[in-house]
Amino acid sequence: MTIRYVSAGCTVTGKVRKHNEDAILVRDEVGLWVVADGLGGHSAGDYASNLIVERLGALPRSGSAFDFIEAIKDTLGQINADLLQAAATRGVDLIGSTVVVLVSSADCMLCGWVGDSRAYCFEDGHLRQITRDHVHGGEDDSTHFGAQQAGTGMLTRAVGAEEHLFVDWVVADNRPGMTFVLCSDGINKEMSDAELGEQCRRLAQPHDLVASLFDLALSRAGRDNISAVVVRLQE
């Protein structure tokens, strides 16, 4: 059985922020999908997220899925070092981004992430988050890296934040009919997981689901940049 993918993605500035510091990548041909969320409140968040997407977008896929995962990890590690150097050169405290990555293989889907960009899996009417936010404390309108501020969460990991980058990975099944949703926190700030699950139940096609998620998020406060990539597995 050969699994094929139908996907869609979108990123918008939202209703409050002046610039879009998110970036997305959709590469069905190599089985790679990415959402990166540049850190707001710091310098050049858009540079950080776009660097991630640009480098991963140019990454060739050859050999095994393990080889591809190792290449992704190496690329993210080099980006981490480059962002640290860029921050030092510019004399700023931090240039960074969160990221969530989904990779297909013959037997499974592999998901890696740094920070609070999320991945969900929807199957048989049930939605579950397969990533775990790298956040300490409560999550509100803004999440910051470094010292925790009153009323906000503290982001504990980001690409470009520390000398050594640690990427968490999880393995998921790849059965036909499964849907994966990757998103920046601009999505989950505006809707609950229950609402996201209801949208997934109503709309099977990725383009329709993405459009509905953005309509819902923008009908509300739209406090942050909003980004999502939806991947549906088909036989």
Side-chain angles (χ1 to χ4, degrees):
M1 179 178 65
T2 300
I3 300 289
R4 67 184 183 93
Y5 311 96
V6 179
S7 69
C10 185
T11 180
V12 299
T13 303
K15 296 164 69 174
V16 175
R17 300 290 175 91
K18 294 181 179 179
H19 307 289
N20 191 354
E21 296 183 314
D22 288 0
I24 66 170
L25 178 65
V26 175
R27 295 186 67 192
D28 287 3
E29 74 282 3
V30 298
L32 173 63
W33 304 269
V34 180
V35 170
D37 180 353
L39 299 188
H42 299 279
S43 298
D46 55 343
Y47 171 76
S49 61
N50 278 285
L51 186 63
I52 290 171
V53 163
E54 178 184 328
R55 297 270 185 91
L56 293 181
L59 198 63
R61 180 163 186 171
S62 58
S64 67
F66 175 80
D67 293 333
F68 194 43
I69 293 294
E70 287 301 303
I72 291 169
K73 289 164 61 177
D74 289 345
T75 300
L76 291 174
Q78 185 58 57
I79 293 168
N80 186 71
D82 291 347
L83 291 176
L84 288 170
Q85 182 59 53
T89 299
R90 299 185 189 191
V92 298
D93 61 338
L94 176 64
I95 300 174
S97 177
T98 68
V99 66
V100 59
V101 177
L102 184 69
V103 178
S104 70
S105 74
D107 303 313
C108 62
M109 304 293 285
L110 300 105
C111 180
W113 76 100
V114 180
D116 60 353
S117 291
R118 293 180 175 181
Y120 293 89
C121 177
F122 180 80
E123 186 181 26
D124 296 331
H126 299 287
L127 180 79
R128 63 186 178 94
Q129 184 179 341
I130 60 174
T131 57
R132 185 171 62 182
D133 298 347
H134 295 137
V135 172
H136 176 72
E139 295 180 65
D140 205 335
D141 286 359
S142 56
T143 305
H144 300 270
F145 189 89
Q148 189 169 354
Q149 303 178 27
T152 70
M154 183 180 73
L155 194 64
T156 58
R157 287 192 215 173
V159 183
E162 297 182 302
E163 182 179 355
H164 298 291
L165 179 66
F166 297 96
V167 183
D168 280 346
W169 291 87
V170 66
V171 177
D173 292 324
N174 64 346
R175 291 181 290 271
M178 296 177 73
T179 296
F180 292 86
V181 179
L182 312 182
C183 62
S184 66
D185 62 354
I187 289 286
N188 51 273
K189 282 177 181 175
E190 303 302 339
M191 67 191 75
S192 65
D193 285 4
E195 289 177 306
L196 178 56
E198 178 58 29
Q199 296 299 309
C200 292
R201 276 185 285 275
R202 288 196 315 109
L203 300 163
Q205 293 306 311
H207 284 87
D208 295 336
L209 178 54
V210 167
S212 181
L213 292 178
F214 277 73
D215 285 347
L216 183 57
L218 290 170
S219 73
R220 297 176 177 176
R223 292 164 286 182
D224 204 345
N225 305 146
I226 303 166
S227 298
V229 172
V230 175
V231 182
R232 181 172 173 83
L233 279 57
Q234 296 186 317
E235 197 170 325

